[in-house]
Amino acid sequence: LLKLLEIFYNLVHNWGLAIIILSVAVYLLLFPLSMKQMRSMKEMQLLQPKIEALRKEYKDNPKKLNTEIMELYREHKVNPLGGCLPLLLQMPIFFALYQALIRSVALRGAHFLWIKDLSAPDQAFVFKNSIPLLGNQINILPIFMAIGMLIQQKISSPQVTGEAAQQQKMMSIIMPIMFGVIFYQMPSGLVLYWFVNSLLMLAYQFRVNRQK
């Protein structure tokens, strides 16, 4: 992965741009799977009225309800777990990039936009006094990433009602916050990679949602 980054760096002479190109390259590589995942999620949104009707019909028979829902998925060729595959394929790249950023001497002190060191948190604002939970610095790239994930969760989540709607709403808020917390002290180059990938996914999600 570091060799690939070096190739991109030799083309653009900036490590930040090299990471962005890497993110775009991985996105294009996984695009067929991502496209299938998003279309499957869109199909699940269209199936929600039928699923809600099944929930009402079999509210006293959970086993029959699950059987009918899975049959509905099979009939419409929808895989409710299909969204996990692109994320799972991203994880080895994510961990490899993390190791590259913290071990590569060339990436230490590498600048990009306001970021002074791509192997460390972006530290957009540094204060003399410590702020509760944040310390003496504010890293805005993880915050942008969390906001992007929040928007993507909102536009990609199927429309449900009742208790399921409350659970879905909570998860759509908790997941971006959790990722924001996890990424907050990560190397900014790693957050930049994930942020660019999330933006590309979000852009395509908007396109899918506009299609009938």
Side-chain angles (χ1 to χ4, degrees):
L1 187 62
L2 189 56
K3 290 294 183 182
L4 187 59
L5 273 175
E6 288 175 354
I7 292 172
F8 293 147
Y9 175 79
N10 290 330
L11 292 174
V12 296
H13 304 291
N14 183 279
W15 286 109
L17 290 176
I19 290 172
I20 290 175
I21 295 173
L22 175 67
S23 185
V24 174
V26 172
Y27 171 80
L28 293 176
L29 182 65
L30 299 179
F31 180 76
L33 287 174
S34 299
M35 179 175 64
K36 188 174 181 180
Q37 168 216 348
M38 290 184 182
R39 293 190 182 279
S40 180
M41 292 173 67
K42 181 67 175 177
E43 189 69 25
M44 285 183 66
Q45 287 182 337
L46 298 176
L47 290 177
Q48 281 308 306
K50 294 182 179 180
I51 293 174
E52 287 300 315
L54 289 173
R55 286 198 176 108
K56 291 178 182 178
E57 184 178 354
Y58 300 106
K59 61 181 179 180
D60 298 323
N61 191 343
K63 185 176 180 180
K64 180 66 173 176
L65 173 62
N66 290 335
T67 302
E68 290 295 326
I69 290 177
M70 293 309 297
E71 183 61 35
L72 189 65
Y73 287 155
R74 280 194 292 269
E75 181 183 342
H76 291 267
K77 298 180 180 179
V78 172
N79 183 4
L81 300 178
C84 300
L85 186 56
L87 181 61
L88 288 174
L89 292 176
Q90 283 272 18
M91 296 315 294
I93 301 169
F94 175 84
F95 287 117
L97 183 59
Y98 174 76
Q99 292 295 324
L101 286 167
I102 63 174
R103 293 187 182 189
S104 172
V105 176
L107 284 164
R108 292 178 185 174
H111 289 236
F112 181 68
L113 299 178
W114 71 88
I115 303 170
K116 297 179 181 178
D117 186 353
L118 285 166
S119 66
D122 64 269
Q123 299 182 2
F125 303 100
V126 180
F127 306 100
K128 292 182 179 179
N129 300 321
S130 181
I131 301 172
L133 302 178
L134 297 177
N136 68 334
Q137 64 190 40
I138 294 180
N139 308 322
I140 62 174
L141 199 54
I143 297 173
F144 288 157
M145 185 200 72
I147 293 172
M149 288 187 66
L150 184 65
I151 296 171
Q152 185 179 2
Q153 288 276 338
K154 185 175 180 61
I155 66 174
S156 63
S157 298
Q159 299 298 317
V160 296
T161 58
E163 186 178 345
Q166 285 297 111
Q167 293 176 351
Q168 179 180 287
K169 184 178 180 181
M170 288 296 296
M171 288 302 298
S172 66
I173 296 173
I174 290 172
M175 287 295 290
I177 292 176
M178 185 179 72
F179 269 81
V181 171
I182 292 172
F183 277 76
Y184 196 75
Q185 295 296 339
M186 289 281 188
S188 53
L190 190 65
V191 185
L192 177 64
Y193 167 84
W194 201 267
F195 177 59
V196 171
N197 192 270
S198 297
L199 284 182
L200 292 169
M201 294 284 286
L202 180 60
Y204 189 73
Q205 185 72 60
F206 274 120
R207 180 182 174 185
V208 170
N209 284 3
R210 285 201 301 266
Q211 296 175 352
K212 294 184 179 180

